[in-house]
Amino acid sequence: MYCLDGPHRAGLVTAGVRLKVLAPGSTAVPDAVRPVASAGRGGGGPLTLQQWAERREDDFGRACSALMAAASESPGTAAQDDGGGGWLTDFLKQLPLLAAGALLTLGGQASERLSAERRQFRQQLGGDESAYRTAVHNYLAAYETDERAEHTAVRAARTALAGTLNRVPGPRARREAARAAADTLPLAQPLRGDRDGYLLDTEGRVEYAEEQRSAMEDRLRLISELNRSKLYWSWRTVRDRITRRDTAGAAV
């Protein structure tokens, strides 16, 4: 929200060009930026700053982090020239610009490291999700013909996926959604050979297994929502906070 605020948009574009995630010629007024091509993506554009933030979250995050770092940590204006001139006076005049440039570089490096960590985490989540889906499908296929089918692989894959979901970072709404998904993953225990007091024949087990497949796919679709942009989850967090406050007020 800070970086997309009107007074900071020009600085955001400047930071993006310096970090080489926006092409030269990108402007805040008019609102038109051209993202630089990256691995797996073309350059594209022109986009509005809002569109850039949503479609290139990692690049936007780098530029925004660098801008905020420079704004919060840059030193005050250097001492005024006392008329004496000389190299020291010139150096002091340039010091704020030098410091701001250094902070932009450091902010960009920190943002790049965070982006790499986010990509690695997404890959791990995707791998754990795929392993869980495969284990469930194999188990249910075996259960349809044998109620004593081996469940160990499902338990291990479910535990791994739940552990990764419990480490999903904020905003708060995303953390809560991830933990809810982890708690409700199907097949924590092997399926029984009976249901509602009746023994299941082959046809009954096939029907039961299909229900479990549907439940699993529904849950995994919710997990895929976790990859939506940080702006979306920030909005959800604010909305949920307002809802909880209004509910508490109504209860009182």
Side-chain angles (χ1 to χ4, degrees):
M1 300 304 177
Y2 172 88
C3 295
L4 291 176
D5 194 23
H8 306 130
R9 288 182 167 226
L12 175 65
V13 172
T14 299
V17 173
R18 287 196 176 192
L19 294 172
K20 298 182 179 179
V21 296
L22 291 179
S26 296
T27 59
V29 181
D31 190 3
V33 297
R34 291 183 177 275
V36 172
S38 59
R41 301 193 221 177
L47 304 174
T48 66
L49 286 171
Q50 184 69 37
Q51 290 171 332
W52 179 48
E54 294 173 353
R55 299 180 188 179
R56 296 292 187 91
E57 181 182 352
D58 290 345
D59 292 345
F60 172 78
R62 289 181 58 195
C64 186
S65 296
L67 176 65
M68 290 192 295
S72 63
E73 299 181 27
S74 58
T77 305
Q80 299 295 319
D81 188 355
D82 60 5
W87 69 269
L88 180 60
T89 300
D90 292 340
F91 172 75
L92 291 175
K93 287 181 178 180
Q94 296 297 321
L95 187 57
L97 292 177
L98 293 172
L103 288 171
L104 279 174
T105 300
L106 292 174
Q109 291 172 346
S111 178
E112 177 66 26
R113 184 177 66 254
L114 291 174
S115 296
E117 291 174 353
R118 283 196 296 267
R119 286 193 296 271
Q120 183 179 5
F121 185 81
R122 286 174 184 168
Q123 290 171 356
Q124 181 178 353
L125 181 59
D128 289 343
E129 181 180 340
S130 178
Y132 173 69
R133 176 184 279 111
T134 299
V136 169
H137 279 300
N138 290 341
Y139 167 71
L140 292 177
Y143 171 79
E144 289 174 355
T145 58
D146 182 2
E147 65 185 58
R148 295 167 297 179
E150 181 59 50
H151 179 264
T152 304
V154 175
R155 181 182 292 110
R158 185 184 185 279
T159 298
L161 178 56
T164 302
L165 287 170
N166 281 313
R167 294 190 290 107
V168 166
R172 177 176 177 175
R174 179 160 55 188
R175 287 198 307 269
E176 291 178 347
R179 282 151 182 72
D183 292 340
T184 55
L185 288 172
L187 293 171
Q189 300 295 330
L191 299 181
R192 296 167 56 92
D194 62 277
R195 189 178 186 189
D196 299 328
Y198 296 93
L199 290 176
L200 295 173
D201 57 12
T202 300
E203 183 179 350
R205 288 196 299 272
V206 169
E207 181 179 348
Y208 196 10
E210 188 57 36
E211 291 177 9
Q212 295 300 312
R213 289 189 188 94
S214 297
M216 176 196 66
E217 292 298 342
D218 288 343
R219 185 54 50 192
L220 294 185
R221 275 191 289 272
L222 291 178
I223 292 175
S224 68
E225 291 288 307
L226 299 174
N227 288 324
R228 298 189 66 167
S229 71
K230 189 174 182 179
L231 287 174
Y232 167 80
W233 287 108
S234 296
W235 169 78
R236 282 281 304 271
T237 298
V238 172
R239 189 194 68 178
D240 292 349
R241 184 181 299 122
I242 293 173
T243 300
R244 282 193 293 267
R245 184 188 62 192
D246 291 346
T247 301
V252 171

